[in-house]
Amino acid sequence: MAYTDLREFIRALEKAGELKRIDFEVDPHLEITEFADRSVKRGGPAFLFEKPKGSRYPVLINAFASMRRMEIALQVDSTGEVAARITEMLEMRMPQGLINKLKMLPKLADMASFFPKMADSGPCQRVVRGKDFSLKELPVLHCWPGDGGPFITLPMVFTRNPETGKRNCGMYRMQVYDERTTGMHWQTQKQGAEHYRRLAKEGKPARMPVAVALGADPATLYSAILPLPPDLDEMMIAGFLRNKPVEMVKCQTVDLEVPAQAEFVLEGYVEIGETRREGPFGDHTGFYSLDDDYPVFHVEHVTHREDPVYPATIVGPPPMEDYFMGKAIERIFLPLMRMQIPEIRDIAMPAEGVFHNLMLVSIRKSYPGQARKVMHAIWGLGQAMFTKVIVVVDEDVDVQNSSEVAWKALNNIDPQRDIEFVLGPVDSLDHASRLPDFGSKMGIDATRKWPSEGFARRWPEVIKMDASVCRRVDELWRRAGLA
Ligand SMILES: Cc1cc2nc3c(=O)[nH]c(=O)nc-3n(C[C@H](O)[C@H](O)[C@H](O)COP(=O)(O)O)c2cc1C
Ligand SMILES: [Mn+2]
């Protein structure tokens, strides 16, 4: 059964021994970060801080901060199961014959469950606070010493495309400035920013309606970070992930919908043209991202559940909670990536590469220059455009093993010949690029080179012992008492 809400997920984590309640006072100013950081680095549990200093709402953190917790969140034994479901759907063809058509019905019924459902009311609107609310009531974390202030770190930000009317949900951090206003850190390539630009282009003074949901069932919450094509509804993907429609309710003061089971809902607007300094913020690169100007979110109306829980995460030197969220994306999106770039066998984004800095890709190479084709395809694929370094290896290299990749790739390259530089969009968090959001990227063709690629020399084999000798030495090894 799908989790209804965040609290069911909390109970599941607790039952699995993956969550620890902290029943004494801990300060959201830096102290919760230190707890969360230590725990993730040591393979420790998620936390529910029941008495965050200065707030009456408990703080949930690190709920996704291990592969096991990601599996509990998505209710699978391995994230590969989600990938397999996607593959199955992608391979679905028009069935031949009545029997096969009938067999297809359950799958079609399954698909119907993806679409979100409207509900008349929901727990997220049980307590209507309206304007009588201060963001200071929330246990918002001041994450790192050099941060520009406290930041809401796990928000689901809902906006509507003014041209198509389609909704988007993205996770964009929000710096709390005062009781009613926050920053809105949607980076320029993200959908919230695109909606804002479309509205700004109309040239009239305008307020862009924005609704922020804090806390939901884990699949719905997770869907906010997925790198989906624009205009693909995150709530539909959440329905697919949880095998049950997401229930949505209409906001009370803006023309947007939010998950009915959210913990808190902040309704308000972003004024076109208004910006304010945002940051610095101790970011998931492990560095402080520089302060910059971003739009401002005005909170006009607040509703929440009875006894709401405030969800949070921290980012910082890897690995952090977001590494596991990203690792699950890597596994889940592989079939979709392979649909467009079929020669890809596997990909890996090691923690040290903080997603956008490094992607290791193995391919089945069938024609000259194919590694370069793959790099360019990845740079052309949604948010994979941000990948600063792509290393392409042959299919016999296990990209999940970074040291194997380093060993083989470094042996296989003639740097001047095999490294390609391109210019293009880069991640807003890249502090080394020549300009914000624009810079260079590097592709390394570390595949075996072919004569048809102009390689005239012989190519050696990797050293490997004879299997028969291995078996014999297994025996001798034991005889020598080395077992
Ligand atoms: C914890 C966390 C914080 C994030 N913060 C931001 C952020 O501040 N700004 C941003 O543009 N993306 C941020 N992201 C990444 C976006 O959520 C992600 O790119 C998402 O796919 C954007 O959705 P969209 O394509 O619908 O805009 C964050 C992701 C995570 C996991
Ligand atoms: Mn989106």
Side-chain angles (χ1 to χ4, degrees), residues 15-251:
K15 220 175 118 200
E18 291 281 339
L19 180 132
K20 186 158 176 53
R21 286 172 188 268
I22 307 289
D23 61 7
F24 47 85
E25 191 175 89
V26 179
D27 199 336
H29 186 273
L30 307 184
E31 284 181 0
I32 288 184
T33 298
E34 184 60 19
F35 264 87
D37 188 23
R38 280 190 201 189
S39 187
V40 75
K41 299 289 194 289
R42 297 174 191 179
F47 292 118
L48 189 69
F49 291 96
E50 294 177 327
K51 291 188 186 137
K53 190 175 175 189
S55 176
R56 58 196 169 93
Y57 305 119
V59 177
L60 174 68
I61 196 162
N62 278 1
F64 299 94
S66 71
M67 280 326 272
R68 180 76 198 109
R69 265 166 260 158
M70 276 311 310
E71 289 154 8
I72 296 172
L74 300 173
Q75 299 180 288
V76 291
D77 290 323
S78 112
T79 48
E81 279 176 40
V82 183
R85 272 182 70 212
I86 294 179
T87 306
E88 196 187 339
M89 270 203 339
L90 295 175
E91 285 172 353
M92 217 152 71
R93 285 184 204 93
M94 193 56 181
Q96 299 295 312
L98 184 63
I99 301 283
N100 284 329
K101 280 188 176 135
L102 287 175
K103 274 195 203 149
M104 187 95 160
L105 286 177
K107 273 191 193 153
L108 292 177
D110 250 18
M111 281 174 80
S113 76
F114 308 166
F115 295 97
K117 259 197 203 148
M118 286 305 297
D120 293 334
S121 66
C124 72
Q125 294 175 336
R126 196 73 23 96
V127 181
V128 179
R129 300 287 303 276
K131 286 189 188 297
D132 171 34
F133 185 87
S134 163
L135 293 170
K136 301 259 159 90
E137 289 178 33
L138 296 174
V140 181
L141 308 189
H142 186 117
C143 301
W144 295 101
D147 283 3
F151 285 79
I152 297 175
T153 48
L154 216 51
M156 305 167 67
V157 178
F158 288 86
T159 56
R160 197 183 293 291
N161 183 327
E163 283 169 15
T164 62
K166 288 194 176 153
R167 104 178 120 225
N168 189 71
C169 173
M171 185 168 290
Y172 319 118
R173 72 172 186 236
M174 294 155 54
Q175 178 173 358
V176 175
Y177 295 128
D178 55 40
E179 302 200 330
R180 296 286 194 82
T181 54
T182 77
M184 186 49 81
H185 188 260
W186 46 48
Q187 292 158 13
T188 190
Q189 311 89 349
K190 308 296 172 75
Q191 284 315 295
E194 180 62 18
H195 294 178
Y196 176 93
R197 271 191 300 270
R198 301 260 176 111
L199 200 61
K201 234 178 114 198
E202 292 174 8
K204 309 181 280 240
R207 288 182 169 183
M208 171 177 173
V210 175
V212 173
L214 301 175
D217 72 274
T220 303
L221 186 56
Y222 184 60
S223 73
I225 74 163
L226 298 180
L228 303 177
D231 285 356
L232 182 56
D233 186 6
E234 279 79 8
M235 296 304 102
M236 194 180 89
I237 301 303
F240 164 79
L241 288 175
R242 65 200 291 267
N243 262 307
K244 199 180 171 188
V246 180
E247 268 190 16
M248 305 293 287
V249 288
K250 276 195 177 317
C251 288

